[in-house]
């Protein structure tokens, strides 16, 4: 996965001001995007990937990215599929038509979650204020994705670049998550 491909899909929301921008870290609200929850058996993965335009990853905590598409592995039979917001219907129909009667579940969850982009040389430090995961490049390389807890909120963290992460949370938790990120980043300014 390249930084360029992920940055084509995950972009800052042009209508929103940065939540925070200090010397070592920035927190930006991500633009809305189409999010689909996909569950299927292994026998359906190639067909679904062909219809979506990205091969679905089978390695735990991995992602695959193509131009304006991403497939994120979330479990042995579960993926989050990301695409531009205006392509939601086309993507949904393409996958449903290709899979036909093959057992699967495809659900539009676009309104369920929001995302922020955390980037900069202090991004790992900031995430580690509430997530106890080793985010070193050796352990958590670009393209790695995981579900975890940030303080008391469930989140998904996806490394899209050497110093760039997408943090996604349910809409009802995002004010809390973003607020704690901004508050914790304030410690950088005080240091």
């Amino acid at each position: 996965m390249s930084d360029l491909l992920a940055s084509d899909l995950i972009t800052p929301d042009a209508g929103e001001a940065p939540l925070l921008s200090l010397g070592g870290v920035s927190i930006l609200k991500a633009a809305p995007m189409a999010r689909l929850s996909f569950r299927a058996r292994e026998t359906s993965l190639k067909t679904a990937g062909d219809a979506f335009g990205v091969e679905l990853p089978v390695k735990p905590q991995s992602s695959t990215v193509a131009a304006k598409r991403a497939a994120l592995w979330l479990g042995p039979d579960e993926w989050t599929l990301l695409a531009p917001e205006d392509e939601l219907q086309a993507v949904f129909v393409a996958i449903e038509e290709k899979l036909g009667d093959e057992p699967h579940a495809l659900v539009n969850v676009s309104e369920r979650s929001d995302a922020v982009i955390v980037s900069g040389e202090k991004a790992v430090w900031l995430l580690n204020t509430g997530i106890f995961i080793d985010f070193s490049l050796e352990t958590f390389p670009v393209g790695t994705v995981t579900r975890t807890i940030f303080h008391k909120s469930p989140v998904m963290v996806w490394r899209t670049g050497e110093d760039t992460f997408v943090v996604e949370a349910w809409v009802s938790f995002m004010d809390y998550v973003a607020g704690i990120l901004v508050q914790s980043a304030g410690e950088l300014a005080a240091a």
Side-chain angles (χ1 to χ4, degrees):
M1 180 181 103
S2 76
D3 297 347
L4 176 63
L5 290 174
S7 67
D8 286 344
L9 177 63
I10 309 294
T11 60
D13 189 333
E16 296 282 333
L19 299 176
L20 177 87
S21 186
L22 293 172
V25 69
S26 71
I27 305 167
L28 304 169
K29 184 169 175 29
M33 69 184 74
R35 289 179 180 85
L36 296 167
S37 175
F38 179 69
R39 300 196 74 164
R41 295 182 178 143
E42 191 172 329
T43 55
S44 301
L45 299 186
K46 177 158 179 19
T47 303
D50 289 347
F52 182 54
V54 176
E55 182 179 342
L56 302 186
V58 293
K59 180 182 170 201
Q61 296 183 312
S62 65
S63 62
T64 52
V65 179
K68 297 194 177 195
R69 296 270 191 282
L72 313 177
W73 185 96
L74 294 181
D77 67 349
E78 183 181 1
W79 294 262
T80 291
L81 308 179
L82 304 173
E85 186 177 39
D86 61 351
E87 296 180 23
L88 171 65
Q89 190 63 29
V91 167
F92 194 93
V93 169
I95 294 170
E96 285 294 323
E97 286 181 354
K98 280 275 195 178
L99 288 176
D101 292 335
E102 291 184 52
H104 70 281
L106 182 65
V107 180
N108 174 9
V109 293
S110 301
E111 302 298 323
R112 177 185 72 188
S113 299
D114 276 339
V116 292
I117 303 164
V118 178
S119 61
E121 64 186 38
K122 297 291 187 179
V124 168
W125 175 88
L126 181 58
L127 292 175
N128 280 151
T129 63
I131 301 172
F132 305 107
I133 290 178
D134 180 356
F135 286 116
S136 67
L137 275 169
E138 299 77 28
T139 304
F140 203 91
V142 174
T144 303
V145 62
T146 190
R147 285 192 265 200
T148 188
I149 301 293
F150 178 76
H151 290 274
K152 296 179 182 180
S153 174
V155 295
M156 180 187 73
V157 179
W158 177 31
R159 186 178 219 143
T160 59
E162 188 172 318
D163 291 326
T164 305
F165 298 83
V166 174
V167 178
E168 186 173 286
W170 286 11
V171 171
S172 57
F173 292 113
M174 186 48 82
D175 284 346
Y176 170 78
V177 170
I180 295 288
L181 285 167
V182 168
Q183 180 182 9
S184 297
E187 293 178 23
L188 288 173

